[in-house]
Amino acid sequence: MTHHGIPPFSKGHGTGNDFVLVADADGAAPLSAETVRSLADRRFGVGGDGVIRAVRAGSTGDEVLDAAPTGTWAMDYWNADGSLSEMCGNGVRVFVRFLTESGLVDLPDGAAIDIATRDGLKRVVRRGDLLSVDIGPFELGGTRLVATDGLEVDRPGLDVATGNPHVVVALASEAELAGLDLHRAPALEPVAEHGANVEFVVPGAIADGVGAIRMRVHERGVGETLSCGTGAVAAALATRHWSGDAADRWIVDVPGGRLEVDIDERGHAWLTGPAEIVFRGETLSPAP
């Protein structure tokens, strides 16, 4: 039996950024904020940083997602607090892994699939055991002051738009990064109108055109997560900007693992990393 019409689910993650995924090809079981919060709850539900519904464009009930070409798989992505999100770089890779392991699509090595998101179509390419997603063009913005627990002095953060709004803050050392307490959302001045993910970054060395950084992130609507795909891209782009565009490939180490960010000749950012489905199950009706 299922709970509140929720079909059988899968649990997946990309470098520890975890999601509950359900297949609803015909749009018969739309999500609600209450259902999402219930599923994402780590003590009373399945647990996850977000919930993703796989549905065909034209059947989602979402004007933006339904604008995609007919038959395209759409990623109906919700944050753990029940709010909608434009995009999720780890989520879209896990979404494609879910589609392939569920037998809904076939994606041979080197092949690509376009996925509808609230930030438009995203192309995902299989590269062996890894998946790469074209995050698309990006935009560097202005500076905000960022205050958070564990930092004695407010730090400047750079606005970076990668489908989601981000603010990236450079730190001086790994000790400073480890000393952050990200249980509460960092305070931004000026305040971001629609909220923002905040990434804290320690830049490393650049060698042979490849840069390295370490990162922690507080995601809006979620809290601190082990990884954030669009956040890793934002962190790499900000560090690239600060370095004078010294590298077009970046290795981003997050608490949940390692991601790669590449800037192609069109100025698009690509995110590459693992995506795994770790278990499947079903929600049970509550006891009478």
Side-chain angles (χ1 to χ4, degrees), residues 12-218:
H13 78 92
T15 55
N17 200 183
D18 60 339
F19 313 95
V20 182
L21 303 105
V22 295
D24 179 30
D26 299 325
L31 295 172
S32 68
E34 180 184 8
T35 298
V36 167
R37 288 192 292 268
S38 176
L39 285 171
D41 191 292
R42 295 193 182 279
R43 291 178 174 83
F44 298 101
V46 180
D49 295 325
V51 176
I52 303 174
R53 180 176 64 132
V55 59
R56 294 283 192 180
S59 302
T60 72
D62 183 292
E63 183 178 352
V64 175
L65 294 176
D66 284 340
T70 301
T72 303
W73 282 102
M75 183 179 76
D76 182 18
Y77 179 78
W78 299 62
N79 292 317
D81 69 349
S83 61
L84 295 175
S85 183
E86 299 91 340
M87 233 301 276
C88 178
N90 287 323
V92 72
R93 297 193 334 275
V94 175
F95 179 78
V96 169
R97 185 74 76 197
F98 171 69
L99 293 178
T100 59
E101 292 201 5
S102 299
L104 297 171
V105 302
D106 182 34
L107 193 68
D109 193 12
I113 184 173
D114 290 333
I115 300 299
T117 76
R118 293 187 179 90
D119 187 47
L121 286 178
K122 301 297 178 184
R123 175 152 292 188
V124 180
V125 179
R126 180 181 168 191
R127 305 190 188 282
D129 292 334
L130 304 179
L131 291 166
S132 294
V133 55
D134 182 358
I135 299 295
F138 53 88
E139 183 178 351
L140 304 180
T143 300
R144 303 175 193 269
L145 281 179
V146 180
T148 198
D149 296 332
L151 284 182
E152 295 183 1
V153 179
D154 296 355
R155 302 295 174 87
L158 178 67
D159 279 5
V160 184
T162 61
N164 290 332
H166 297 270
V167 179
V168 183
V169 180
L171 300 179
S173 68
E174 292 195 17
E176 227 178 16
L177 185 67
L180 297 177
D181 182 350
L182 299 181
H183 286 94
R184 293 190 296 178
L188 304 178
E189 179 59 44
V191 173
E193 181 180 1
H194 301 293
N197 301 326
V198 183
E199 287 78 30
F200 296 90
V201 174
V202 178
I206 298 175
D208 299 322
V210 180
I213 59 178
R214 299 191 71 86
M215 181 190 95
R216 289 175 64 189
V217 57
H218 186 284

Side-chain angles (χ1 to χ4, degrees), residues 8-12 21 97-98 100-103 277-282:
F9 67 86
S10 293
K11 178 71 181 286
L21 303 105
R97 185 74 76 197
F98 171 69
T100 59
E101 292 201 5
S102 299
I277 302 300
V278 292
F279 65 83
R280 298 178 178 85
E282 62 180 28

